[in-house]
Amino acid sequence: MRFVLALLLILAGVFPVLIRNNFSPSQMQTPEWIAVAVFLIIALLLIVVRRKKSDTQPEGIHSMSFSFEKLTSFLPDGSPALKQGQQLFLRPYMGEDQEQIAVTNEKAEIFGFVPEEYREYVLSRIESHSLIQTVVTEQTEEPFGAYSVKIRITC
């Protein structure tokens, strides 16, 4: 993509000047040489200079899992509010200190928060508009009508 953009810059900056001067560099005046030089330098920079990789952001797809235990949220029919395979959503800047990431369902009901060890990475993925998938991977019944779920975040 950068190469194509550099090629278009060369064509847009150099070619019209050469056409105007009948493809004779000896007829080009100083402002035209400056314009050609600027376009060539910008095109070379696009080709040669690469964006520095961030040391804090690992490359690739990462998956993290954690559990919510002793949940007591149920649907009106008595079934658990979270089911295996259900997609969940993340809402940043929640909680008491406004720095937690809430895990919610489609109705924005908060079931818990992303653990602190994953918080910075997940927040950076949210802020960079990366694709994030949050899914209930396992649901287990507990005594006294509660249940636990295991949640996986992939980003």
Side-chain angles (χ1 to χ4, degrees), residues 16-113:
V17 173
L18 288 175
I19 287 177
R20 183 171 175 218
N21 293 301
N22 298 322
F23 291 94
S24 175
S26 62
Q27 294 180 0
M28 291 173 51
Q29 297 176 359
T30 303
E32 293 169 329
W33 278 108
I34 292 172
V36 167
V38 167
F39 276 95
L40 287 175
I41 290 170
I42 292 172
L44 284 173
L45 287 175
L46 276 173
I47 293 172
V48 174
V49 177
R50 300 280 181 214
R51 185 187 312 177
K52 182 181 174 186
K53 301 276 187 206
S54 173
D55 295 336
T56 60
Q57 297 299 322
E59 291 291 319
I61 298 174
H62 295 279
S63 219
M64 55 208 80
S65 294
F66 54 92
S67 297
F68 291 148
E69 298 185 12
K70 298 183 174 134
L71 293 174
T72 56
S73 298
F74 293 94
L75 297 175
D77 65 359
S79 64
L82 297 178
K83 296 179 177 69
Q84 186 171 347
Q86 180 178 356
Q87 179 180 354
L88 299 174
F89 302 93
L90 301 176
R91 290 184 63 191
Y93 310 115
M94 300 292 290
E96 292 177 9
D97 59 0
Q98 299 294 313
E99 295 200 13
Q100 294 180 317
I101 302 170
V103 178
T104 68
N105 63 3
E106 62 278 354
K107 296 177 184 174
E109 297 171 318
I110 297 175
F111 293 99
F113 297 95

